[in-house]
Amino acid sequence: MFSIVLLASLSGVGANISIRIRSTKHLGNFVDLAPGRSANDIEPLKSFDYRCVEPIRYRPFRNKTHVKMAIAKMPRNDWIKIDRHYLERINRRKELLRNNHQFCIGSNELARLAIRELYGEVMVNQLPKRFPTMFSIRRGVFTNHITGCKYSVSIVDLDDTYMLDTLAENVEEDFYFMIPDGNGEYRLQAYMPSYESRLGNGVDKSFRRMEPGLTIMFIQWSIQTDGDELFKPLVRNTFDPDAPGSAADPAVQRGLISFEKTYLRCEHHTLTCLPETKTVMFCVRTYLTPIKQIKDEGNGSALADACDTMPEKFGVYKRRPVWGHRLCEWMRDGERKDEDTLLHDPVQASQADGQRPTR
């Protein structure tokens, strides 16, 4: 059994992964991934102005690694990321907590100590030390100077819900607490093609390498055709064939998927091991980029090639039969076509100017 805690559940990643990992306690360390930096080594960004920081432009499709995890070591400094959309996204998360708290926060007794440790790692160590222009602590009170909100960091006096809510109101990442069950196994239950044959060994090796102070990362990408909303608690899976935008959707059958609502979706995943409880934290930060922006920057053909070369099962998993032909054709086409023609063409999806920047 594991405890999963979704903070404002913006990414919905939990339903898209299937993992069963053996206990790591009896296994030795691997020499290729040495322990990472400790919290005491966090380097402060003394002149940091989040309003001047553009979102990271992830373009993982360029290397065509569809099912390889491409795991890399990551500095602890980069665990929590902040850019110019910070205030907008935090306000959105607060709204979600007010209106959908039962879908946003979840925990159980197994995670109690890990929640306390994570709260200290993020609210006491990471945020005020890494971003001193945005966060500070004085006399047991944490201040977010961007939102103007104050929070207690006297952890011994706080309950789990308060700590989880506070985390959700201060960072954009979603956190999943991965705690081994009685058999020493970690499990995320769902379906993912090629897991056993192509990803399982990589995941097992990653968990064998996990130890306090080490943070590793990898990127997953897909195409999202139903707008830029990430909070979808009633959709079982982003790639659910019965969900809006699937092949069974009448709008799809009429060829009415709009490029204005189509995005490259990149999920930045990190795994880090908490030093006291040894809980493995699975952290997800999701970025959406309008598909038109991908084309305008000259990456249209590269994305189309990556989509075309996906293994068949993985392409179905990412719903390529829904958007593949229309998207790839449009991404390779250097000329703009009449919007009205596309809106009513049963073969091609609609095209419009997507002006939203990378989120």
Side-chain angles (χ1 to χ4, degrees):
M1 144 177 228
F2 69 94
S3 171
I4 195 166
V5 180
L6 310 182
L7 301 187
S9 193
L10 291 174
S11 64
V13 69
N16 298 333
I17 299 176
S18 175
I19 299 177
R20 180 174 179 173
I21 302 159
R22 293 183 296 274
S23 173
T24 65
K25 293 182 179 180
H26 65 287
L27 297 169
N29 298 330
F30 280 65
V31 297
D32 56 339
L33 282 182
R37 301 165 66 95
S38 71
N40 294 328
D41 295 326
I42 295 174
E43 299 175 0
L45 299 174
K46 296 181 179 180
S47 301
F48 184 79
D49 185 346
Y50 79 96
R51 297 168 297 183
C52 301
V53 179
E54 291 295 322
I56 299 173
R57 289 160 58 103
Y58 290 113
R59 302 295 182 263
F61 56 83
R62 293 183 62 86
N63 59 21
K64 300 181 184 178
T65 54
H66 301 300
V67 294
K68 295 181 181 179
M69 298 193 72
I71 294 170
K73 186 170 62 174
M74 186 184 77
R76 172 63 183 271
N77 284 325
D78 298 332
W79 186 30
I80 303 296
K81 300 180 182 300
I82 295 177
D83 58 46
R84 65 185 178 87
H85 294 297
Y86 174 78
L87 184 58
E88 174 191 349
R89 293 282 290 265
I90 290 300
N91 287 335
R92 173 59 175 149
R93 291 170 79 87
K94 290 182 177 180
E95 179 184 354
L96 291 173
L97 284 175
R98 286 194 301 269
N99 299 328
N100 301 276
H101 194 274
Q102 72 275 25
F103 295 115
C104 297
I105 301 295
S107 182
N108 58 37
E109 285 293 324
L110 191 62
R112 181 175 297 276
L113 293 178
I115 291 171
R116 290 172 177 261
E117 186 175 10
L118 177 69
Y119 191 80
E121 287 291 317
V122 175
M123 301 297 292
V124 178
N125 289 327
Q126 189 79 20
L127 294 183
K129 291 182 180 179
R130 180 63 170 165
F131 307 104
T133 61
M134 297 180 65
F135 313 102
S136 65
I137 295 178
R138 185 180 181 184
R139 296 178 180 175
V141 176
F142 174 97
T143 300
N144 183 323
H145 297 286
I146 306 304
T147 65
C149 296
K150 298 179 182 294
Y151 306 87
S152 173
V153 288
S154 299
I155 300 177
V156 69
D157 300 322
L158 305 178
D159 63 38
D160 294 353
T161 299
Y162 178 91
M163 289 186 283
L164 294 175
D165 286 350
T166 298
L167 287 166
E169 293 182 7
N170 286 280
V171 298
E172 298 179 51
E173 283 76 8
D174 295 339
F175 293 104
Y176 300 75
F177 293 72
M178 299 185 66
I179 302 171
D181 62 15
N183 296 320
E185 295 179 342
Y186 298 82
R187 303 165 186 255
L188 291 180
Q189 298 294 340
Y191 168 73
M192 184 175 184
S194 302
Y195 177 79
E196 292 295 337
S197 61
R198 306 186 69 168
L199 296 181
N201 287 337
V203 173
D204 277 345
K205 288 179 181 178
S206 298
F207 272 72
R208 287 197 291 267
R209 295 166 178 167
M210 295 307 300
E211 60 181 75
L214 174 64
T215 301
I216 61 176
M217 58 81 66
F218 57 97
I219 305 294
Q220 296 269 336
W221 67 273
S222 60
I223 302 298
Q224 182 164 312
T225 60
D226 56 353
D228 63 353
E229 180 59 65
L230 294 176
F231 181 72
K232 301 174 182 179
L234 300 181
V235 176
R236 295 192 301 274
N237 189 305
T238 303
F239 310 104
D240 188 337
D242 297 324
S246 70
D249 190 328
V252 174
Q253 295 176 356
R254 295 195 302 271
L256 297 181
I257 292 179
S258 171
F259 291 142
E260 185 180 30
K261 297 180 179 180
T262 300
Y263 292 79
L264 171 69
R265 174 183 177 127
C266 293
E267 295 176 356
H268 180 272
H269 297 179
T270 63
L271 292 170
T272 191
C273 183
L274 299 180
E276 296 299 326
T277 62
K278 305 300 188 293
T279 298
V280 175
M281 294 305 309
F282 180 30
C283 178
V284 181
R285 171 73 179 271
T286 305
Y287 296 81
L288 293 180
T289 304
I291 207 68
K292 182 181 182 297
Q293 180 178 327
I294 300 297
K295 182 176 180 180
D296 289 347
E297 66 190 27
N299 282 316
S301 293
L303 177 57
D305 290 345
C307 293
D308 280 345
T309 56
M310 284 182 186
E312 182 178 358
K313 290 184 178 180
F314 212 69
V316 172
Y317 170 69
K318 290 183 178 289
R319 297 173 57 245
R320 182 177 58 187
V322 174
W323 47 260
H325 172 75
R326 292 183 288 273
L327 176 69
C328 292
E329 183 179 47
W330 179 77
M331 292 296 284
R332 292 189 176 105
D333 186 359
E335 298 181 358
R336 290 177 58 97
K337 295 187 177 182
D338 181 76
E339 181 178 331
D340 291 337
T341 300
L342 287 169
L343 281 169
H344 298 92
D345 190 325
V347 176
Q348 296 181 344
S350 62
Q351 172 190 0
D353 291 334
Q355 298 297 326
R356 289 182 179 268
T358 299
R359 300 292 299 277

